Structure formats: structure tokens, C-alpha cells
Amino acid sequence: MEDNQYEDDQKKLQSSIGESPSKGDKNEDVNKEAFPRRWIYIGGIACIVILSFLLYYSENGMWSKTEKERIPIPNENEDVLKLEMGLIEIGTNPFREGYFVEKPIVRNNGMSSYFHPTVLRYDIGLSNIWREPLGSIRGYDPEEQTYENGVSVHIEPHKEFVDLMDDVLGFNLFTEPNSFQGHPVISTINGNLYTLSYQVGSEFENGDTPIVPAVKDMDLLLDHATEVDIVVTIQEKEIGRFYLGEEMHQVYRVSEEDRLEVLYTYDNMVRGNNEYVSEVRGEIIVNQSYDKRTLQRGDVIFYQTPQMENTNQSDVPSNSLGRIVGLPGEEVSIKDGVVYIDEEQLDRPYNKALIQGMNKETYLEKKIDDHTSSEKEEILNYFDQGMEAVEVPPNTFFILSDQWWDSFDSRVFGPLPVDEIEGKVMGYKEGIEH
Amino acid sequence: MNLQKILFGIIGVLFFLVVVNIVIMNENPPSQETENTLDDTGYKKINYKYTGESEHWKGEYILEGEEITYESFGVLEQEYWHEGTGHVEYIGDISKLNAAEKLDIKAEFGSSSSSMGVTFDNDAPRETVFNLPVDSSDVFGVFENPIELKLILDGETEVLQLVPEDISK
């Protein structure tokens, strides 16, 4: 029995030996094992790469793009901007810098009034030559009123100018602008204008601001004010840099002796907020030393009212304020209360008949019920008024008031000769707090 | 063997992160930022091109802008900008335009309209391209509506419709 068992075991052993692999078979088996393991590693790594890729690019997920990453920004060295205009000005310009006032001063009579600092101001006009708008309002913070992805403009002075500021002012003006105006987006259609103002000093002792330097020093500052780079950025990435010393610019300054202060009570320039009314705003400041070549559409001027036919001159103020609407060589007409220049509708806020700053639709909606039926007809005629085309001869301008009602302007006396212009209005002296 | 375990561990962690990510994405659906539609952040990019052609005229108007709607003290507020530019070009028999004395262009947008007129000077070379009396504020907010133009050449009216196309994509 035991022998049989032994034989069986022997047979089993032999058969198992017979089935055992040869040397070559062993190698083949090793290869069979290595093949799937290698592919497991490769597959694993591929999975990691694919999963990482999916995670990173999944929008609105854990690693979603931020608001910053969502807006298109030009590549470095890509020309996307063109400097169209650079205007530099130094002076006290309260009308333009109306938002830019210091703390009120209390006068001896107990009334307080605001005063305005002297500023070095840059107006920078940029056009967009890229394929789409530069900057975005995306990421707007309503509380801070800031634009995360907006276009930002700053000024970097060259070393010579920094040294000069050290000598004249004792500090660098350009650490931060005291005021910045400009839209966060530069469209491909109209471009944009940026205004940066830097406080040079104040005419009054107030403890916060240094007294303005002497006139000769301010002239020196202005002479070197083009020694700066205008730098345009989005998300702190530079998209444009312009050296003003090599670009087009105008330099302009109003000195004390060139100022004319006018007490103006006529309401022909009112746009709904007593603009230019001295009783509310203070005396109008007129610059008499302006360069006539710099006058442009939109400028408000102080002028001698010309003699008019069929008008009782005693009803007409001897001097008036008006806005330049038509330039020499242009043809100005008015149709249905709207101004046309060379047959094209003027694209400016002062292009139509207004009452207290209200256009026809707004006025009819809000104010028309305050009037009698005859007045209503008169008002409708006012809003729909017309004027045949008038050609503006050389050395003249076509002047309109901001409120045409009861106003004497170029609609009545025709184009105004340049010689009748006494000065360019810079703003008002001070706003009196009642 | 250990390497295999580490590998499977990493893949497991990644799968876990993918699942978490999918949950987050379900709560914040992806925005369609390049379309003229309001996305989840209240942002809308506006970029339309209006084009059209009639027998004697073809025209184009481009509108650019952005709009953000946000809530402030419980009130919905908007921040936006828009700009537009456009023109029409005479493509008919030029002798007819040369003989004309006056062209009026009227643009209609639903209930409002605007117009401009051109009185031709016989001595000056005749232009064939004319700016449109269309302000972007006329179109803003009603982007999908076509701009209806009436081109009146010496009293003869031709209607040209500029159809909008979303070019923000």
C-alpha cells in the first residue's frame, strides 16, 4: 500500500517535472510579468497628468481662473497704444479740479470757503491700436470703487527732473498723483483721456501743504515737465510707455498777473447746477494770456458781445461767457434743436438745446406742467429750433451758450472774431459755503 | 510593490480632488464670459457688429462695451460703458449720387430715432461714405434689435436694415 503511494507520488513528481518550464520558458515568463507592470506605471503617470490637467483647467472649480486671468492682455513688445495728445499745465485751476479741494478755511466774517491748490497737471490722450478693448471693468469693487483689471496710468520722471524737483520743491511730486481721472477701459473706437494732477503747493498757509514756490521756480518745473515717461499698465503689466520729451505736447501756465476775476450773474451757461454763477460759485477766473492757437472746441471763453442789428443793445450784457462750438472753416447748422458741424451731428454734451441742463424729453416729462399753454408752445419751439448753415470764417469762432434760452450768442450775432475774446475761462475762484 | 501602492495612493487622492472639484463646479456653474450674456459674476461683455446691404447702400455699425450688475445695500446697481461707430457706403450708380443735392439719413431704434442731413456741394469731390447718426446709447440695452436706416437721396427713400451679429465669441 505504501509502495503504491510512493509510486503515485513519484508519477506526480515526474509529471510535474515534465511540465516545468525550460530556461527559455523562464525568460518568457519573466517578460510576461514585466509587461503589465510597466504599463501599470505608465498608465498611472498618465492618469496623474490627465487628472492634474482636468483639475487645473476646470472652470469655477478649486483651481478656477481668477477675475484677473479672464481678461485678455497684450503680449510684451506688442504695440497696442498710441499717444495722441499730451498737455501739461501748471496753475490753480479750481473749475477743472473742482473735486480737488482742500479743507475749508474759516474767514473773519465767520463764513468758510474752500481754496484750491496749485497743481502740475497732465492730460494724456491715448488711442487703442490693438484688436480689442484694453482693460476691463470686470472685477469692479463697488465699495472701494476700484477696477482690478482696469487700465492704470502713472508718470515716471527722468533723473534730471527728479533732481530739479529736489532743488525746487524738496520732494518728488510723482510718488502718487493727488488726483487721477480716466476710464478703466481704452476702447478701440474712441480711445481715452487720462488726467493726472500733482499738488505743487498752496497759496494759503494751512499746515498740510507747502506754500507754492516762486513763479520762476514753477516756470522751471514746467520747462522740464516733459522729462517724464507716461507708463500704462494693466494688472501691473506694462502695455505702453511714452517719453513725453519726444512726443507731441503743449505746455501751458497761468500766472497771477494774467488772471481776470469776473463777477458773473448771467445764467446763459447754467446746466442745472448754477455753473458759472458767481453768487454761488464765486468769481469766474479768466486767463487773459492764453495762446489763441490753443483754443479748441468746448473751451469756455469770456468775450465782448458784438453789436447786433435789430437788438436793443441795452438788453445785452457788454461781456458774456460762451462755449466754442464751431471752428474756422467749419459749417455750423442747427436742426430740430441739435447742432451739426459740416452736416454731421456734433458728438458733444453741449450739442443740443437744453434748459437747466435738461433735454427736450426730460424737460417735457418733469417741468412742462409748470407752464401755461402758450409757454408750452414757446418751449417746444425752443427745443425744436433750427438755424441755416453758417460758415465760420478764418479768425472767428462759432459760440453757443450752454443754455440757449434768452441767450445772445453766434445764433444771433454770427461767428465771433478772435479779437473780441478777452480770455479763456479757467473756472471759479472759490465756492462759497452758505 | 510599494511603488504600486504609492502610485495607487496618489491616483486615489487625485480622484478625491476631482470629486471635490466637481461638487464645487456644480455649485458655481461655468460662466460664458465670451458671449453677450450675463455670467455668474454679473458680468456681460458686449461686442456686436451690425451689417446690412440694400440696392444702393451697405452699412456697418460696431458696438463695444461691458456691463456689470452687482448688489449694493440690497439694491441692484450697474456699472457699464459703451461706445459705437458706424457708416453707410453708397454702392449704386455713382452718377446718381453725383447728381444728388441732398442726403438725409434717419436711424430708428424702436420708439426713438435720430437723423442727419448732408447738403452736397457741387464743386467738391463727392464722398461715398457717410457717418451714421447713431449713438451707442441708442443701441445699448437693445442689442438684438436691428438698426433701421432710411436713406433719403433727393426725396427718394431706401430702407437699409443693419442686422446684429455677436462677435464677442
Side-chain angles (χ1 to χ4, degrees):
Chain A
M1 192 64 180
E2 283 179 357
D3 287 347
N4 288 341
Q5 180 67 42
Y6 178 76
E7 281 172 11
D8 286 346
D9 289 346
Q10 280 282 354
K11 278 177 188 172
K12 279 182 186 172
L13 186 63
Q14 275 177 357
S15 77
S16 71
I17 289 168
E19 286 168 7
S20 68
S22 64
K23 262 191 174 179
D25 291 339
K26 270 184 183 172
N27 286 341
E28 197 179 319
D29 195 39
V30 167
N31 284 342
K32 272 180 186 172
E33 278 183 5
F35 179 78
R37 183 172 293 175
R38 188 186 302 153
W39 278 105
I40 286 171
Y41 292 150
I42 292 169
I45 290 164
C47 279
I48 291 172
V49 171
I50 292 166
L51 287 171
S52 305
F53 185 82
L54 285 173
L55 277 170
Y56 185 77
Y57 285 99
S58 57
E59 196 180 336
N60 283 25
M62 288 171 70
W63 286 277
S64 62
K65 291 178 184 179
T66 64
E67 292 293 320
K68 275 189 177 180
E69 291 169 321
R70 286 179 178 176
I71 73 150
I73 298 179
N75 295 321
E76 278 180 34
N77 306 323
E78 213 177 342
D79 282 335
V80 297
L81 285 169
K82 194 174 163 196
L83 182 70
E84 296 287 355
M85 186 200 85
L87 176 70
I88 307 172
E89 189 177 333
I90 194 166
T92 308
N93 196 340
F95 179 71
R96 274 179 156 175
E97 323 284 351
Y99 52 88
F100 185 50
V101 291
E102 297 179 11
K103 63 186 180 185
I105 300 174
V106 179
R107 304 271 187 202
N108 290 338
N109 59 8
M111 292 182 74
S112 60
S113 58
Y114 290 94
F115 65 93
H116 302 268
T118 298
V119 297
L120 177 61
R121 169 191 162 112
Y122 290 79
D123 288 311
I124 308 297
L126 296 168
S127 64
N128 178 351
I129 53 174
W130 203 39
R131 60 178 185 272
E132 56 185 297
L134 289 162
S136 171
I137 60 171
R138 182 163 214 163
Y140 172 63
D141 182 341
E143 284 181 16
E144 298 291 328
Q145 297 195 336
T146 54
Y147 298 90
E148 189 182 9
N149 300 301
V151 170
S152 182
V153 178
H154 71 270
I155 295 177
E156 293 179 4
H158 287 200
K159 188 177 179 306
E160 299 76 22
F161 194 28
V162 173
D163 292 342
L164 179 78
M165 284 186 283
D166 270 347
D167 291 343
V168 173
L169 301 169
F171 61 93
N172 180 359
L173 275 175
F174 296 93
T175 48
E176 187 144 348
N178 296 96
S179 82
F180 173 83
Q181 279 186 307
H183 198 260
V185 183
I186 305 177
S187 81
T188 63
I189 295 171
N190 294 331
N192 235 314
L193 181 72
Y194 294 88
T195 300
L196 296 94
S197 298
Y198 301 87
Q199 191 168 320
V200 175
S202 169
E203 294 171 5
F204 300 92
E205 287 273 9
N206 63 72
D208 291 340
T209 318
I211 293 290
V212 283
V215 170
K216 68 175 178 51
D217 286 338
M218 291 222 279
D219 285 342
L220 203 56
L221 273 180
L222 196 60
D223 287 345
H224 289 80
T226 56
E227 293 297 313
V228 296
D229 279 349
I230 305 294
V231 185
V232 189
T233 58
I234 301 175
Q235 295 172 7
E236 295 176 2
K237 184 180 173 185
E238 192 172 306
I239 59 166
R241 179 179 283 266
F242 306 95
Y243 170 45
L244 268 193
E246 286 178 350
E247 304 279 353
M248 53 190 282
H249 61 271
Q250 294 171 28
V251 180
Y252 175 66
R253 177 168 188 276
V254 188
S255 65
E256 292 296 312
E257 54 271 27
D258 295 328
R259 277 188 189 181
L260 178 68
E261 293 178 5
V262 180
L263 195 65
Y264 197 69
T265 56
Y266 197 38
D267 68 352
N268 69 321
M269 294 300 286
V270 165
R271 297 181 68 88
N273 200 22
N274 294 310
E275 295 87 346
Y276 301 94
V277 177
S278 295
E279 290 165 347
V280 179
R281 299 284 176 188
E283 288 93 334
I284 300 297
I285 296 173
V286 176
N287 171 26
Q288 294 179 294
S289 71
Y290 70 100
D291 182 350
K292 289 176 181 176
R293 291 168 302 177
T294 66
L295 284 175
Q296 53 189 331
R297 200 188 324 278
D299 283 346
V300 177
I301 53 160
F302 184 65
Y303 63 92
Q304 281 188 346
T305 316
Q307 293 289 322
M308 286 169 277
E309 292 174 11
N310 306 322
T311 304
N312 183 354
Q313 208 69 22
S314 62
D315 293 341
V316 181
S318 58
N319 289 87
S320 187
L321 297 183
R323 195 181 290 276
I324 293 177
V325 170
L327 304 176
E330 292 181 338
E331 198 177 72
V332 182
S333 58
I334 299 173
K335 294 169 192 170
D336 297 330
V338 177
V339 178
Y340 288 78
I341 305 290
D342 292 337
E343 299 290 345
E344 286 190 19
Q345 188 175 317
L346 177 63
D347 184 21
R348 293 287 194 283
Y350 45 85
N351 70 346
K352 57 174 81 68
L354 301 171
I355 299 179
Q356 294 280 326
M358 286 179 269
N359 62 18
K360 182 181 176 183
E361 288 73 25
T362 311
Y363 195 85
L364 293 183
E365 187 185 326
K366 294 186 174 175
K367 294 281 183 183
I368 198 68
D369 292 338
D370 300 345
H371 298 281
T372 63
S373 56
S374 62
E375 286 172 340
K376 284 176 186 173
E377 196 180 335
E378 197 179 352
I379 287 165
L380 287 173
N381 289 337
Y382 166 77
F383 278 121
D384 293 334
Q385 67 183 276
M387 185 193 77
E388 289 294 316
V390 172
E391 196 175 326
V392 185
N395 295 318
T396 65
F397 290 104
F398 193 91
I399 310 299
L400 284 177
S401 305
D402 282 357
Q403 178 161 263
W404 303 352
W405 192 267
D406 279 342
S407 166
F408 298 96
D409 51 34
S410 288
R411 291 171 306 143
V412 185
F413 53 70
L416 179 77
V418 170
D419 293 340
E420 303 287 336
I421 301 175
E422 294 202 2
K424 188 173 165 182
V425 173
M426 308 306 296
Y428 49 84
K429 188 178 176 188
E430 55 190 22
I432 301 167
E433 201 174 59
H434 292 283
Chain B
M1 195 62 174
N2 284 339
L3 194 61
Q4 266 182 314
K5 282 181 181 171
I6 292 168
L7 201 62
F8 285 126
I10 292 171
I11 293 172
V13 169
L14 279 169
F15 268 114
F16 173 74
L17 291 175
V18 168
V19 171
V20 171
N21 208 45
I22 288 167
V23 171
I24 294 172
M25 283 174 70
N26 280 340
E27 287 178 3
N28 304 305
S31 63
Q32 304 200 346
E33 63 197 62
T34 54
E35 294 181 12
N36 291 301
T37 53
L38 204 67
D39 74 4
D40 57 297
T41 60
Y43 174 81
K44 184 159 63 174
K45 185 172 182 177
I46 295 143
N47 206 352
Y48 281 94
K49 184 178 183 180
Y50 298 76
T51 52
E53 192 170 323
S54 62
E55 190 181 351
H56 299 102
W57 295 93
K58 69 175 180 182
E60 181 184 289
Y61 187 79
I62 303 283
L63 180 73
E64 269 181 10
E66 290 178 290
E67 188 180 302
I68 293 176
T69 306
Y70 59 92
E71 197 176 311
S72 177
F73 300 106
V75 179
L76 277 183
E77 303 274 1
Q78 270 194 334
E79 179 76 7
Y80 61 84
W81 67 272
H82 50 79
E83 285 180 14
T85 182
H87 64 268
V88 284
E89 183 181 0
Y90 186 79
I91 54 170
D93 179 4
I94 195 70
S95 60
K96 192 177 174 186
L97 182 70
N98 285 338
E101 290 181 354
K102 196 171 188 306
L103 169 69
D104 284 307
I105 304 174
K106 289 185 178 174
E108 292 177 0
F109 332 89
S111 57
S112 66
S113 66
S114 65
S115 62
M116 63 170 278
V118 182
T119 305
F120 296 117
D121 178 356
N122 286 333
D123 300 329
R126 193 56 47 95
E127 295 285 341
T128 56
V129 177
F130 306 91
N131 287 339
L132 284 178
V134 178
D135 191 90
S136 56
S137 57
D138 296 324
V139 187
F140 195 76
V142 285
F143 317 112
E144 291 80 12
N145 295 354
I147 300 171
E148 292 277 345
L149 296 175
K150 280 183 184 160
L151 300 136
I152 308 162
L153 196 62
D154 281 349
E156 197 175 312
T157 303
E158 188 166 320
V159 175
L160 171 62
Q161 193 178 60
L162 303 185
V163 180
E165 179 196 354
D166 178 357
I167 56 169
S168 64
K169 290 171 187 170

